[in-house]
Amino acid sequence: MNSIIYLDNAATTSIDPQVLEAMMPYMSDYYGNPSSGYSIGRESRLAIEMARKKVADLLGVKPTNIYFTSGGTESNNTAIATAVTELGCSHIISSPIEHHAVLHTIDHYASQFNITSSFVKINSAGAVDLLDLEEQLAKKSEMGIKCLVSLMHANNEIGSLLDMDEAGQICSRYQAIFHSDCVQTIGHYAINLASAGVHFAAASGHKFHGPKGTGILYVREGTSFVPLIHGGSQERKKRAGTENVHGIIGFTRALELAMENQVNDQNHIQALNERMRNQLSALSPQISFNSTAQSLYTVLSVNFPEGSNTDLILALLDHEGICASGGSACTSGEEAGSHVIAALKKNLPGATIRFSFSKKTSEKDIDTAVRAIGNILESAKPRVSA
Ligand code: PLP
């Protein structure tokens, strides 16, 4: 493979070789079905339960609170479904900048069941208005309506962060069920889910150098919960299907490595983020940012000058071997644009691109990418003939 500069780590990350190493035996030697009673089946079962214990320890919860799933999408779906079908929530309060794994799921349940939904207000930086959340919950509670609050911990396009503790306290004042999509933060921050006030939280292995198709759903102690996927009695009858043993091992090793090196990795990535922000600011005063200094440190969402086109910049970057993502409010071709950028109501006149970093990103990657961006912007300037 040609060498690339990969600045799209919020989309996915490369698998860590140590993670792959941990997974390999579970694809070759330990291939027993964990539900089988003989020794190689028992070995797989033991590996899963040890993994569950490790994940629980790393997130400050009990092993019985952790369910292994196929990733963030399934975990979010399961939490929302259970809140509606099992926990009696008939109104869902969410935000307009949630991932589609949440927004489309809410739309689905709203259309299938007799429930309503609303958004909390957000500001132009994507910060949730917690006073508005409290007011909405107060009104619903006066009417005797039980609510699900589904708010992501960090936004995947712009990196805005939710004060989960504060949101959790507000939810608990009104006996609301609180679900948080933590796909962009679990593995990137030291998080104690037990004290975060959430009933449900979702994480995804491929966002922190683990394998794709792996994730967890955290369910708070004492929260009743029904399966989304029916069949066998795996995951204590809450998630049917033969366990993805090597995936579970990979998820767990990736989380372990991420937490062991969290402070170092965060410092490294934060410095790269600031380096790119400073260099881009120096390129043009017309460049602005959707991410703030307080945002998720892995993400830098950049607005380019008027007339610039997201798809064109991404294609030109790709031509230079640089991978990044679009995040633009304006429509190009059949693309609907980003619902997140549109919700910020900034009326941006140009391209918006998300750069996202990992422990594997280097200063040289940033410098090369900014040089390429500088050339692209320069070549787009109208030529003045002498
Ligand atoms: N939620 C957020 C915030 C995400 O960024 C993603 C992945 O892009 C998901 C959910 C979906 O996770 P998965 O790919 O594990 O299904």
Side-chain angles (χ1 to χ4, degrees), residues 10-11 70-74 76 99 101 152 154 156 181 183-184 204 206-207 214:
S70 66
T73 302
E74 184 191 323
N76 286 332
H99 192 275
M152 67 202 317
N156 49 303
D181 175 346
V183 163
Q184 294 290 342
S204 173
H206 72 106
K207 306 294 185 179
T214 66

Side-chain angles (χ1 to χ4, degrees), residues 15 19 23 204-206 209-215 246-251 254:
I15 200 154
V19 170
M23 292 169 70
S204 173
H206 72 106
H209 305 283
K212 293 172 182 61
T214 66
H246 56 278
I248 289 170
I249 299 300
F251 176 96

